[in-house]
Amino acid sequence: MDCENGTEIEDFVLLDFSTKPSDRFLFFLLLLFMYSAGLLGNVIMFLLITLDARLQTPMYFLLRSLSVIDVGFISVTMPRMLVCLITSSRTIPFYSCMAQFFFLYVFGITDLLLVSVMALDRYVAICNPLHYVSVMNQKVCGHLVAGCCIVSTLHAMLHAGLLLRLSYRGKNHLAHYFCDHQPLLQLSCSDTSVNEAVIFFEGGIMIFGPLVFVILTYIRIMATIMKFTSSGRHKAFSTCGSHLTLVVLFYGAIIAVYFSPTSKYSSDRGSVFALMYTVITPMCNPYIYSLRNKEVKGAMRNLLGKGSLFPPK
C-alpha cells in the first residue's frame, strides 16, 4: 500500500535483530547484560556521590548529574528492545514512538552538553586551579546543568514538532529497533526537506559546537599537563585519554547516523552506531569517568562497611 491510497498508520513495527530465535536470545542476553551494567554503574555512582560527604565537590556534582542522565538515556530504548527480542512483539503505538523519540533527544543532547561542562570543569581545575573554587562552585554547576536540560528540551520539542507535521500512511515497518530520526523520515510520505535542513543546520550547531569546545579544551589541558612531573603527567594523560576516547565514540556515532542524507541512510549501519551511543557509552561512562578514581574507590569501601561514610569533623 503506497502513500496515495494508504491510511494514516496508528503504530509502527520495529526492526527485528534476527529471524532466528536462538540469535534473538543471544542478543537478548547481551543487551540485558549491557543494560544491567549501565544501570548498576550509574546507580552506584549516584549513591556514592550523594552519601559520601567527601565527594560533595563540583566535579562530582557534574558526575552525579551525568549518572542520572545516563540512566534515563539508556532506559528510553533498552526495555522495549529487550521486550521485542524476548517476545517478538515489535509494534509500538504512533504517539509512544514520538514520545520515545522526544525523550531520546532530551537525554542524548543533555548528555552531550554535560560532557562539555565537565570538560570546562577539568580545564579550570587544571589550568586555573587558584580560581577553581570561585569559578566552579555547586551553584554555578547547578545553573549549567539546568541550562543543559532546558536547551536539550527545546531542541527535542523542535524536532518532535517537525516530525508530527509529517504524514505517515501505508508502510509502517520502521527500519530501526527504536524510534529514531532518519528511519522516521524515510517512512514519511511528506516532503522532509525542512526536517533535513534543520538537522544539518540547527542540529549541526548543537552537535559540532560542543564537540569543538571539548577538543579545544582538552588541547589546552594537555598543553598544561606537559608541564607536570612525569608521574603526574602519566596519571593525567591516562584519565584524559579515557575521557577523549568516549567523547570520540559518542560524537562519532551520532555524526555518522544523523549527518548523512535520508536517501543514503542504511538501517544496518545506523543500528550499529545507535548501539554505540545509546547503550555502550552510557554503560561505560561511570566506569571511565568515576569508578577508577581513588576518591570513588575509597567511598565504595566505606559504603561496603569498611569505614565511616561520613568523616569525623
Side-chain angles (χ1 to χ4, degrees):
M1 188 179 292
D2 55 23
C3 288
E4 285 73 18
N5 57 18
T7 58
E8 290 288 339
I9 64 174
E10 298 181 354
D11 52 43
F12 293 106
V13 178
L14 299 174
L15 176 73
D16 198 356
F17 280 97
S18 173
T19 56
K20 297 180 181 180
S22 58
D23 290 346
R24 285 202 301 270
F25 185 67
L26 289 176
F27 274 121
F28 172 80
L29 292 178
L30 176 63
L31 293 178
L32 180 62
F33 169 78
M34 296 169 71
Y35 183 46
S36 300
L39 286 181
L40 181 63
N42 283 294
V43 169
I44 288 175
M45 277 309 309
F46 178 84
L47 291 175
L48 288 177
I49 296 171
T50 300
L51 296 176
D52 197 314
R54 288 162 291 197
L55 299 182
Q56 304 304 308
T57 64
M59 181 184 75
Y60 288 108
F61 175 86
L62 295 174
L63 287 171
R64 181 174 61 181
S65 301
L66 183 67
S67 293
V68 173
I69 296 301
D70 279 341
V71 168
F73 192 27
I74 200 171
S75 297
V76 169
T77 58
M78 286 298 293
R80 182 168 288 277
M81 288 165 58
L82 292 172
V83 169
C84 290
L85 284 169
I86 201 65
T87 66
S88 297
S89 174
R90 297 180 288 146
T91 59
I92 179 171
F94 179 85
Y95 286 106
S96 295
C97 183
M98 292 300 166
Q100 185 186 61
F101 169 85
F102 174 79
F103 286 108
L104 179 76
Y105 262 48
V106 169
F107 289 117
I109 296 299
T110 304
D111 210 320
L112 284 174
L113 297 175
L114 264 179
V115 170
S116 302
V117 174
M118 291 166 63
L120 173 64
D121 174 79
R122 291 300 84 203
Y123 170 80
V124 177
I126 294 174
C127 301
N128 295 286
L130 297 178
H131 297 93
Y132 182 76
V133 176
S134 60
V135 175
M136 296 298 295
N137 53 62
Q138 290 209 17
K139 183 178 180 180
V140 171
C141 290
H143 290 159
L144 289 172
V145 171
C148 293
C149 294
I150 292 171
V151 170
S152 63
T153 301
L154 293 174
H155 176 79
M157 290 173 63
L158 170 64
H159 288 279
L162 289 174
L163 283 177
L164 286 170
R165 60 183 278 276
L166 302 179
S167 176
Y168 299 90
R169 295 195 301 270
K171 296 179 180 179
N172 69 337
H173 282 71
L174 200 67
H176 212 349
Y177 47 84
F178 62 87
C179 296
D180 207 358
H181 220 152
Q182 293 285 17
L184 286 168
L185 293 180
Q186 272 193 331
L187 206 59
S188 173
C189 297
S190 306
D191 179 14
T192 61
S193 57
V194 173
N195 299 68
E196 293 188 49
V198 173
I199 290 174
F200 275 94
F201 290 101
E202 187 272 344
I205 294 172
M206 191 65 64
I207 301 299
F208 288 101
L211 175 59
V212 171
F213 176 81
V214 170
I215 291 174
L216 293 177
T217 300
Y218 271 103
I219 289 174
R220 182 68 180 87
I221 289 173
M222 289 184 177
T224 303
I225 289 173
M226 292 300 295
K227 302 174 185 177
F228 291 0
T229 61
S230 58
S231 58
R233 188 187 309 161
H234 176 76
K235 180 181 178 181
F237 269 128
S238 175
T239 302
C240 290
S242 300
H243 295 180
L244 281 175
T245 300
L246 279 180
V247 169
V248 169
L249 289 175
F250 193 36
Y251 277 94
I254 290 175
I255 291 169
V257 170
Y258 294 104
F259 292 92
S260 61
T262 303
S263 59
K264 296 182 179 180
Y265 175 78
S266 166
S267 61
D268 292 336
R269 188 188 69 172
S271 298
V272 172
F273 283 121
L275 270 179
M276 190 174 297
Y277 70 81
T278 61
V279 180
I280 295 176
T281 304
M283 177 189 71
C284 293
N285 275 341
Y287 303 100
I288 296 298
Y289 278 108
S290 308
L291 294 180
R292 297 171 61 197
N293 294 357
K294 184 187 300 184
E295 296 87 351
V296 175
K297 290 179 180 178
M300 177 74 76
R301 286 192 293 269
N302 292 335
L303 187 64
L304 295 175
K306 295 183 179 179
S308 173
L309 198 60
F310 299 95
K313 296 182 179 180

